[in-house]
Amino acid sequence: MEVLIVGAGPTGLTAACGLLARGIAVRVVDSAPRPATTSRALGLQPRGAEVLRRLGALGDLPQRAADVRGAGIHVNGRKIVDVGAALDAAGPRLLWIPQTEIEAQLRERLAALGGRIDWNTPLRGLVQDADGVDVELGGERVRAKWVIGCDGAHSQVRKSAGIGFPGSQLTERFLLADVHAELPGRRGEIGTFLGVGGQFVVMPLPHPDGDLWRLMAPVPDDHHDELDETEILKLLCRFAAERAGIPDLRIDRAAWTSVFRFNRRLADSYRRGRILLAGDAAHIHSPLGGQGLNTGIGDAENLVFKLALVIGGRAGIELLDTYSAERRPIAESVLSATSIGTRIGFAETAAGQRLFAALSPLLRIPAVQRRLMRAASQLGIDYRHGPLAGPTARRVRSGPRPGDRVPNIPTRDAEGHDAPLHSRLGTGWAILATGDATDHLRQAAKYLGVEQVRLITPATGTLDDVCLIRPDAHLAWRGASAEEMGRWLDTALCHEERRSV
Ligand SMILES: Cc1cc2nc3c(=O)[nH]c(=O)nc-3n(C[C@H](O)[C@H](O)[C@H](O)COP(=O)(O)OP(=O)(O)OC[C@H]3O[C@@H](n4cnc5c(N)ncnc54)[C@H](O)[C@@H]3O)c2cc1C
């Protein structure tokens, strides 16, 4: 077996689709008996949607997403912030759609690509040597050339590979309930309330009856550990009254209840030899800002285009180290931003809650709103300081630098049809150029494969440089000389180290 993917959550499914789309055989296993029916994540950020679109896995998720346009912050019964108006100017919006539906769409794409998932198949342990990995799967022993651990926060792959996962607990317990209920709030708005004893959050969930809501609240430590559904709902009704001024909350029925503790942890390394980690197996943090699922999807896209090059013999194995070098700093900044936000937004002490009330009005400032939305969208992620961007990134005076996500400029095909650049990008590489770029195309095809590179032309204007775009829509290289591009590819693909693990 070429690649074993452990875990069929959003990260594992994205990785599997990405490899299958490049003709690489994968086996996907998951310890659960069947797909999850309850959703932790509720949002696909614009960047996550782009990744799925490139994979052909976005489907009609944008049409099915709920229309959530704003967020209100209420302190002691008074709405002090109404976020929303400035957001339209901030660019593409978050798709408000449950994780179960995102996963179902990815499974549909996986099946269309000829893949399947072996449910009820837990990975119990693994041992690697120079040529592959011996894996214990349920009662079965198999050998894979590569293993990608997408098996979530408690990753057995990570533990078996001996990769550390240092970090700490961020919050005490959080109650969560998805309930059918009548609530006074606007369906298109997320409400955060701060009242007596702490916070209470209300989020609308897409449902044909329009009565499904997610309720969340931190619970003080003086409650015993094992709370059942009835106790969770009773506490949430109490908190709704005390913290949000919603008396007599009537819950018809609960679709899901749970108790969470939020941790922040980051794997010491994303790769050990032939074992790779992605998604929650590599990083966990507070769900504030809707980053976890989206970061996992981004990891998977970054990893598999590189792994495919290594498996196809087009790159040295050292290329895989650029996966960790590019993606681990992204997780580091997500961990730090979400931890700060959680410590302020869900402060457990009275002093912390006063600080939250004092800082919240800053969110009224449109520029602050736009900045936060831009960060959450993940569209601003860049790899300028990563090992693939190299010194050329620093030489560029204007326009995108190597490592940047390429801007979504209008482009024109040979028949004269116009379309935004990102809608033309798939799982391959692209050369964006005005004028004759035949030499560049030939050079890129020599390194990457003829099928893997296409030429795209801007609809208007002239580009100063020829641009080589990576399969994850980041600028790989820009310049004039095809030979120089070849030298960049030679170095980037680690041809000298091709044989060493
Ligand atoms: C309350 C809450 C709200 C959240 N909200 C958001 C949000 O709005 N936006 C966002 O982006 N993120 C959010 N997240 C985070 C998001 O849910 C996760 O980041 C995301 O699910 C990670 O995907 P994953 O595929 O890496 O791991 P998981 O989704 O955890 O999938 C791991 C898979 O591996 C399987 N598995 C585990 N062990 C084994 C084994 N030994 N062998 C085989 N299979 C195994 C599991 O059964 C599972 O299917 C939230 C999280 C929580 C807790």
Side-chain angles (χ1 to χ4, degrees), residues 6-13 29-32 39-45 96 99 103 119 121-124 137 150-157 176 214 216 256 260 262 278-281 283 285 287 289-296:
V6 186
T11 307
L13 290 167
V29 298
D30 197 294
S31 53
S39 285
R40 284 171 290 158
L42 289 179
L44 195 55
Q45 296 289 356
W96 195 253
Q99 181 164 342
E103 290 177 4
W119 298 104
T121 311
L123 176 137
R124 298 199 195 282
L137 277 185
C150 307
D151 47 344
H154 304 287
S155 171
Q156 188 58 47
V157 173
L176 179 152
R214 170 161 295 179
M216 287 176 76
W256 180 40
F260 288 95
F262 298 134
D280 275 18
H283 43 75
H285 46 82
Q291 299 294 292
L293 174 149
N294 292 275
T295 308

Side-chain angles (χ1 to χ4, degrees), residues 388 447 486-495 497:
L388 293 177
Y447 283 94
R487 281 195 291 280
W488 180 87
L489 279 163
D490 211 39
T491 311
L493 300 181
C494 310
H495 282 165
E497 295 97 0

Side-chain angles (χ1 to χ4, degrees), residues 102-130:
I102 299 167
E103 290 177 4
Q105 198 69 48
L106 277 160
R107 284 195 301 274
E108 199 178 310
R109 181 66 183 140
L110 181 83
L113 289 164
R116 69 184 177 89
I117 300 159
D118 295 337
W119 298 104
N120 253 328
T121 311
L123 176 137
R124 298 199 195 282
L126 46 73
V127 183
Q128 65 172 320
D129 54 44

